[in-house]
Amino acid sequence: MHPKTLIRSHARELTRLRNPKKKRQSKMGPKCAGCNESIITGEYTKAMDRDWHTQHFCCDECRDPLTGKKYVPHEDRPYCVACYEKSFANACDKCHKLIGIDSKDLSYKDRHWHEACFKCTTCDQSLVDKQFGSKNDDIYCGACYDAQFASRCDGCHEAFVTGTKKMEYKNRQWHEQCFCCCACNTPIGTRSFVPRDQKIYCATCFEDKFATKCVRCKKVILSGGVTYKNEPWHHDCFTCTHCEKSLAGERFTSRDDRPYCADCFGELFAKRCSNCRRPITGAGGTKFISFEDRHWHNDCFYCAACKTSLVGRGFITDDSDIICPDCAKKKLL
């Protein structure tokens, strides 16, 4: 290497170490959104938050320049008004003309109208910002829809106005104020009710009119109960007429249509044995002997002298006693 060349090289290195290299500022301009090339000199257009060569900011459909003109962005691409309306504008459901960008597009279930065309089919009243109903591809104001198509209350038979609350039960429907007990006419609301013969009763009225009631206390029998002579009784109400003992599940006898337990019936009404003086109730198929207005249990019908049973045998009366023929002979001797 030539000595002078070496010196110059060392000098450059020393200069570099003493003066750190500065970053070179880029002289490259913004990139065009149309051609993706840098915009270096001349005028350019800024639109849709991007930069464009003036000649590249044009309609994505017809390629006409848009700089200084009205345009419509769609899916991140610019369109002139004519191309946008031709390709993307909706047709009005009434007049069938395109709904341009200068008109308000009112839509309902994939259908579109000019604001001025959005009217009731029957009365031609504007429906903008109003309640409306749709039937068979036609639209109606609330009043016209209700008059022609609204269902009617099973109570007052008036139409249900749009937005009115309904009470429904088994394909029948009522206004909230019409859903009342047919007996007391009180609105039922969310309370319990009972249907009967196409009528609606509140629980209280239904119990008063139709629920099974005890013949004694006249209150509703909610569960269980006893039937006596085809009449319903509460278990606790079906008691012995004399001692008030419950007869539910017990043996009992009636007299004059009144129930009595076996003990009370025997004490009050049964024949009494001429021997032991206890009642002859007949409970359990008990057999007894009757003779001249006198009565005996089978087991009590025996000879007063020898105590031999006289059931099925002849006997002889001796004042209040009965004796067998053998004892009668002995008494005569």
Side-chain angles (χ1 to χ4, degrees):
M1 179 179 291
H2 195 280
K4 290 183 178 181
T5 302
L6 181 60
I7 291 172
R8 284 196 297 272
S9 177
H10 287 174
R12 284 195 299 270
E13 182 65 18
L14 183 62
T15 301
R16 188 184 67 78
L17 293 174
R18 289 177 178 174
N19 301 297
K21 184 180 179 181
K22 295 182 180 180
K23 291 184 179 179
R24 294 179 63 188
Q25 294 182 347
S26 174
K27 295 183 180 180
M28 302 293 289
K31 286 190 175 183
C32 173
C35 66
N36 205 33
E37 296 293 332
S38 296
I39 304 173
I40 299 175
T41 59
E43 293 182 355
Y44 68 95
T45 299
K46 193 172 187 66
M48 299 171 61
D49 294 327
R50 289 180 288 174
D51 302 300
W52 311 71
H53 288 112
T54 300
Q55 68 274 20
H56 289 161
F57 184 58
C58 54
C59 174
D60 197 62
E61 183 71 25
C62 68
R63 310 311 298 174
D64 282 351
L66 295 176
T67 300
K69 297 180 181 179
K70 194 172 186 178
Y71 70 93
V72 183
H74 180 73
E75 295 183 353
D76 214 29
R77 304 304 300 168
Y79 293 85
C80 67
V81 173
C83 288
Y84 177 84
E85 290 181 348
K86 179 181 177 181
S87 300
F88 305 111
N90 296 304
C92 176
D93 199 75
K94 184 173 183 179
C95 70
H96 306 296
K97 295 179 181 179
L98 291 178
I99 303 174
I101 63 171
D102 294 328
S103 300
K104 183 179 289 187
D105 185 336
L106 302 181
S107 63
Y108 172 70
K109 289 186 176 180
D110 296 326
R111 300 166 66 195
H112 301 266
W113 293 265
H114 290 104
E115 186 173 15
C117 294
F118 193 56
K119 296 180 179 181
C120 173
T121 302
T122 300
C123 68
D124 210 35
Q125 176 185 192
S126 174
L127 300 178
V128 178
D129 297 328
K130 295 180 180 178
Q131 286 188 333
F132 66 93
S134 174
K135 187 80 171 180
N136 300 328
D137 291 333
D138 290 323
I139 52 175
Y140 301 86
C141 66
C144 290
Y145 183 89
D146 292 340
Q148 296 183 60
F149 309 111
S151 54
R152 297 185 176 273
C153 173
D154 281 290
C156 67
H157 305 294
E158 295 294 327
F160 288 102
V161 178
T162 303
T164 301
K165 187 175 181 180
K166 294 181 183 179
M167 306 297 287
E168 297 184 352
Y169 176 73
K170 287 189 175 181
N171 299 321
R172 301 174 67 198
Q173 50 194 359
W174 297 263
H175 291 108
E176 188 173 15
Q177 67 273 17
C178 295
F179 190 58
C180 302
C181 171
C182 66
C184 66
N185 208 36
T186 302
I188 291 173
T190 58
R191 295 183 299 147
S192 298
F193 66 91
V194 184
R196 184 184 175 96
D197 299 331
Q198 298 299 311
K199 295 181 180 180
I200 299 296
Y201 296 86
C202 66
T204 302
C205 289
F206 182 84
E207 288 182 355
D208 288 342
K209 293 179 70 68
F210 304 109
T212 302
K213 296 179 182 179
C214 175
V215 297
R216 183 172 182 180
C217 69
K218 309 304 180 186
K219 294 181 180 179
V220 174
I221 299 175
L222 298 177
S223 62
V226 175
T227 299
Y228 172 64
K229 291 188 178 296
N230 295 321
E231 293 181 323
W233 304 65
H234 286 112
H235 280 99
D236 294 339
C237 293
F238 189 58
T239 59
C240 174
T241 305
H242 183 66
C243 70
E244 294 294 323
K245 173 185 176 182
S246 175
L247 298 178
E250 301 290 335
R251 292 184 302 176
F252 67 91
T253 306
S254 64
R255 184 181 180 89
D256 299 329
D257 290 332
R258 296 181 178 180
Y260 294 86
C261 65
D263 292 340
C264 288
F265 185 85
E267 290 295 328
L268 296 172
F269 309 110
K271 299 176 176 64
R272 292 188 175 271
C273 178
S274 297
N275 191 357
C276 68
R277 307 309 302 168
R278 292 195 300 272
I280 302 174
T281 62
T286 300
K287 296 179 180 180
F288 64 94
I289 309 298
S290 295
F291 176 73
E292 293 182 353
D293 297 327
R294 297 167 66 192
H295 312 279
W296 297 264
H297 293 108
N298 267 20
D299 293 340
C300 295
F301 192 57
Y302 52 78
C303 175
C306 67
K307 307 303 181 184
T308 302
S309 175
L310 297 176
V311 177
R313 296 178 57 190
F315 60 90
I316 296 170
T317 59
D318 182 20
D319 294 329
S320 60
D321 294 330
I322 54 172
I323 57 177
C324 65
D326 292 339
C327 289
K329 289 177 182 181
K330 290 178 182 179
K331 193 173 184 179
L332 293 174
L333 293 176

